[in-house]
Amino acid sequence: MTPTPPAPSPAPINVPSSFAVAAGPVVPTSTIPYPMMPPNIPATTTEKNANRYAVRDGRPAGRSPPRAPLSPGTPASYGGVAPIGCSAMREWLVASALVEVDGALLLVRNERRGGFSDWSTPGGVIDADDRSVLTGLTREVEEETGLRVTDWEGPVYEVRAVAQDMGWRLHAEVYRALAFEGELRVADPDGIVVEAVFVEHPACADRLADGARWVREPLSEWIAERWGPDAARGYTYDVRGTRRGDLAVHRTSVAAG
């Protein structure tokens, strides 16, 4: 009788206790359950959009450069925005992911034009040819981090921001990953995401401190309160100004779902 070969060993789980950046295998696992966030302003474009109007200075990526010519005073750090007073408003639908393991949240570091960086959750612009928001979000997370989410819930919260002076409107939907697989790696096709780290919840505030208020604030509240999709919230912000260091950002509302 031919002996039965032994069953293969399961793939190792390798999440460093310090949650440092990992280049090797990390998780095939489920995220932790309840009891337990523009938004992540996603820090990448998709591969097919990599040469298009890329994310800059906390704005989402667009699908084409602005049609209006740039005003002479438009700061280069915004990658080219419609001049103040331009009637055309650019609009983006973006999505971001809350991916957790062992009490830590996955954050990515984004290198911005002008030499500064900030942290956010992974995510990106939802393309017109994506079958759904979650299809696009799954693609974005895998492109940026190498992890493929196999089960989602949400949205957990949504964010809308209007920047009249810069000529854009943002609608962001934030979903929580219930299960994921793969190896953590940084391979952003646009080269903006340069680092990925599982950050323990109490340390997230320090990482998020330099991010846009409409990114940092809803995410920080979710980390502290950890509500689910049955109590989803909606945030709205008014953004005034054109220079990163001089923006006036006002939260105009927050409503429970």
Side-chain angles (χ1 to χ4, degrees):
M1 179 185 302
T2 303
T4 302
S9 301
I13 295 176
N14 178 24
V15 181
S17 59
S18 62
F19 300 102
V21 180
V26 175
V27 209
T29 185
S30 296
T31 56
I32 58 177
Y34 286 124
M36 312 222 272
M37 61 52 103
N40 161 39
I41 301 302
T44 186
T45 54
T46 64
E47 186 169 4
K48 58 190 166 188
N49 285 336
N51 294 323
R52 301 185 186 182
Y53 192 45
V55 178
R56 292 293 179 251
D57 201 30
R59 292 179 300 104
R63 292 178 173 80
S64 62
R67 297 178 182 176
L70 298 182
S71 60
T74 300
S77 64
Y78 279 96
V81 298
I84 296 174
C86 177
S87 59
M89 292 286 285
R90 297 172 58 78
E91 298 188 3
W92 293 275
L93 172 62
V94 302
S96 73
L98 303 168
V99 182
E100 296 178 289
V101 61
D102 294 339
L105 179 67
L106 180 60
L107 298 179
V108 296
R109 183 166 65 86
N110 316 298
E111 286 286 355
R112 307 294 189 183
R113 183 177 297 174
F116 64 90
S117 65
D118 56 38
W119 290 83
S120 66
T121 50
V125 173
I126 304 305
D127 292 333
D129 54 355
D130 284 324
R131 290 186 293 107
S132 68
V133 171
L134 287 178
T135 298
L137 179 56
T138 300
R139 168 179 48 75
E140 288 286 347
V141 172
E142 187 169 13
E143 286 178 353
E144 289 184 14
T145 70
L147 301 181
R148 179 168 181 80
V149 178
T150 57
D151 192 13
W152 294 101
E153 69 172 4
V156 176
Y157 64 86
E158 299 185 25
V159 178
R160 295 179 186 270
V162 178
Q164 189 70 42
D165 295 339
M166 290 185 285
W168 57 258
R169 292 189 184 96
L170 165 74
H171 175 202
E173 297 183 2
V174 181
Y175 292 80
R176 180 171 178 261
L178 296 179
F180 59 92
E181 60 190 11
E183 297 180 356
L184 187 64
R185 58 179 173 79
V186 176
D188 178 11
D190 199 43
I192 295 173
V193 172
V194 297
E195 188 175 0
V197 182
F198 280 99
V199 180
E200 293 176 310
H201 293 153
C204 286
D206 289 340
R207 303 270 183 157
L208 298 170
D210 292 333
R213 182 179 173 186
W214 57 93
V215 178
R216 177 183 71 248
E217 196 168 71
L219 178 55
S220 296
E221 291 184 9
W222 182 83
I223 291 171
E225 301 179 41
R226 306 182 63 76
W227 64 84
D230 56 339
R233 297 181 184 178
Y235 294 80
T236 59
Y237 291 86
D238 179 63
V239 182
R240 297 290 177 172
T242 60
R243 295 183 181 274
R244 178 176 182 268
D246 299 324
L247 294 181
V249 181
H250 303 284
R251 181 158 128 178
T252 55
S253 72
V254 55

